[in-house]
Amino acid sequence: MIHYILLLIFNCLLYYLFGKKNRKLYLLLVFFSLLFMTTFRDINLGLGDTVNVHIPLFEKVKSLSIQEIFNEYSFVNGILFALFAKMCTYISDSYRVFLMLSALPFIIGSFLIINRYSKNTYFSMLILITVNYFFCFLAVRQYFAMGFILISLNFIVDKRPVCFLLTIITASLIHFSAIIFLPAYFYYMMIQKGFLNIILVSSGIVVSLFFKNLIFNIIAYISPNYYYYYLDKGIYTKGDMFSLTWFLVLLVYLGLYYYVYHRKNNLFVLNKHERVDKILFSILSMGIVVFCLSSVVVEFYRISYYFSIFAIILIPNLLEKIKDRNSKIFFKLSAQTLFIAYFFLSYLQNINCLNFAYGL
């Protein structure tokens, strides 16, 4: 645990030294420390995915030719990630190099969007560290794909649908589940009123609570093989219980966002022309709906990360809109306490990374 405490102190210290004068240097130094921890961590940290899935894949592709990889992998099982692993073997036979290079797309994507869109880089990094980053210890391939999802935000903001589409297709060739982010561009373009996002979130909660059997029947109808092998056989879990902590945090902030932009309140500086935050509001609304499905199929919480990751921008931006100095201090201290408490009391335990250790 001491490693995480030192990381949080390091993040705070670097922001104090460089954050306001040179945000790029601050971000680079923090991301370098995260990359170091990712590369040299004990591979047994996490839920076994690295040891049982990703390292065996890396070892397997060493003996495969490029043609054999094309024959064995396809669009739905990560052909681009397999080719990437093969390219890594040309650089080094060490799986440490593979782990380092696998983390780079997510780190680069996070750096780009935080540097461009965040109004408080310290809080963006705090949320990234305490809520998102260390899940990459077990979801190596998904976080590789998520790097492209992060970059795709630029194409939504700049209204470049072709580039967005190509980026999402690339992410899907790495991890097929990334295809779920495809509607994000068109959803925002169609839904311009904030209350429609609230209706979407409310509908998602109602459906996940009262229509579970309907969802199972739809999955079984669309893909009976998926239902049989992944649900009935217990590879993916059917259940009623899932962690509500992060879901509730997002729900509260989404409610605050709607209140800020659609209700008059002297506590906040209102600016209805901040299009980026409105885009993020729509994306996180979609993420809440996907997260609700975790009450039906637990692994949907992993899929919701494609959307909830953008909270690293929206939440800090919302906090910066508070114009009363004392209120801003109160909300920032409260938010910081909440995220750090969640990090140590829930997040690290859930992903089996509480006792961080380095490995050979």
Side-chain angles (χ1 to χ4, degrees), residues 63 70 133 157 188 196 215 253 283-284 313-314 335 349 354:
S63 60
F70 274 105
Y133 183 78
V157 174
Y188 169 72
L196 294 177
I215 296 174
Y253 274 98
I283 291 174
L284 263 70
I313 306 298
L314 182 59
Q349 295 185 49
L354 185 61

Side-chain angles (χ1 to χ4, degrees), residues 303-318:
I303 307 302
S304 72
Y305 270 44
Y306 291 122
F307 303 90
S308 65
I309 183 63
F310 293 100
I312 64 176
I313 306 298
L314 182 59
I315 291 177
N317 288 1
L318 178 60

Side-chain angles (χ1 to χ4, degrees), residues 73-117:
Y73 293 88
S74 66
F75 179 76
V76 297
N77 66 347
I79 185 172
L80 195 57
F81 190 75
L83 289 171
F84 163 78
K86 182 64 177 180
M87 295 302 104
C88 290
T89 64
Y90 295 145
I91 299 172
S92 173
D93 287 337
S94 171
Y95 66 84
R96 294 288 177 189
V97 174
F98 168 67
L99 291 177
M100 178 184 71
L101 295 177
S102 298
L104 282 179
F106 181 78
I107 285 178
I108 293 171
S110 300
F111 172 85
L112 291 175
I113 70 163
I114 291 175
N115 183 59
R116 180 176 178 181
Y117 301 114

Side-chain angles (χ1 to χ4, degrees), residues 154-171:
N154 292 326
F155 303 130
I156 299 178
V157 174
D158 298 336
K159 297 183 179 180
R160 299 167 64 186
V162 175
C163 292
F164 174 83
L165 179 63
L166 292 175
T167 304
I168 301 306
I169 291 175
T170 301

Side-chain angles (χ1 to χ4, degrees), residues 315-332:
I315 291 177
N317 288 1
L318 178 60
L319 290 171
E320 287 301 314
K321 294 180 188 301
I322 303 174
K323 62 182 180 181
D324 179 72
R325 183 175 180 275
N326 292 331
S327 297
K328 180 180 286 191
I329 292 173
F330 170 77
F331 279 108
K332 284 186 175 181

Side-chain angles (χ1 to χ4, degrees), residues 156 183-192 275-276 278-280 282 286:
I156 299 178
Y185 183 96
F186 309 99
Y187 174 77
Y188 169 72
M189 294 303 171
M190 292 186 296
I191 305 298
Q192 295 291 324
R275 185 166 163 270
V276 172
K278 292 184 179 181
I279 291 172
L280 296 175
S282 295
M286 296 176 68

Side-chain angles (χ1 to χ4, degrees), residues 148-248:
F148 292 89
I149 297 294
L150 288 166
I151 293 171
S152 73
L153 175 64
N154 292 326
F155 303 130
I156 299 178
V157 174
D158 298 336
K159 297 183 179 180
R160 299 167 64 186
V162 175
C163 292
F164 174 83
L165 179 63
L166 292 175
T167 304
I168 301 306
I169 291 175
T170 301
S172 303
L173 287 170
I174 298 165
H175 202 291
F176 184 66
S177 63
I179 197 73
I180 198 172
F181 197 75
L182 187 61
Y185 183 96
F186 309 99
Y187 174 77
Y188 169 72
M189 294 303 171
M190 292 186 296
I191 305 298
Q192 295 291 324
K193 295 185 179 296
F195 76 89
L196 294 177
N197 287 295
I198 301 300
I199 292 174
L200 174 70
V201 171
S202 301
S203 301
I205 294 174
V206 170
V207 169
S208 65
L209 290 177
F210 301 107
F211 298 96
K212 290 184 175 66
N213 290 333
L214 175 62
I215 296 174
F216 280 124
N217 292 335
I218 292 174
I219 294 175
Y221 177 78
I222 295 175
S223 181
N225 290 333
Y226 176 90
Y227 180 85
Y228 179 75
Y229 288 108
Y230 289 91
L231 292 177
D232 264 7
K233 290 298 183 181
I235 297 175
Y236 285 164
T237 309
K238 291 187 292 184
D240 297 320
M241 301 301 294
F242 66 101
S243 174
L244 287 171
T245 310
W246 181 226
F247 167 78
L248 291 175

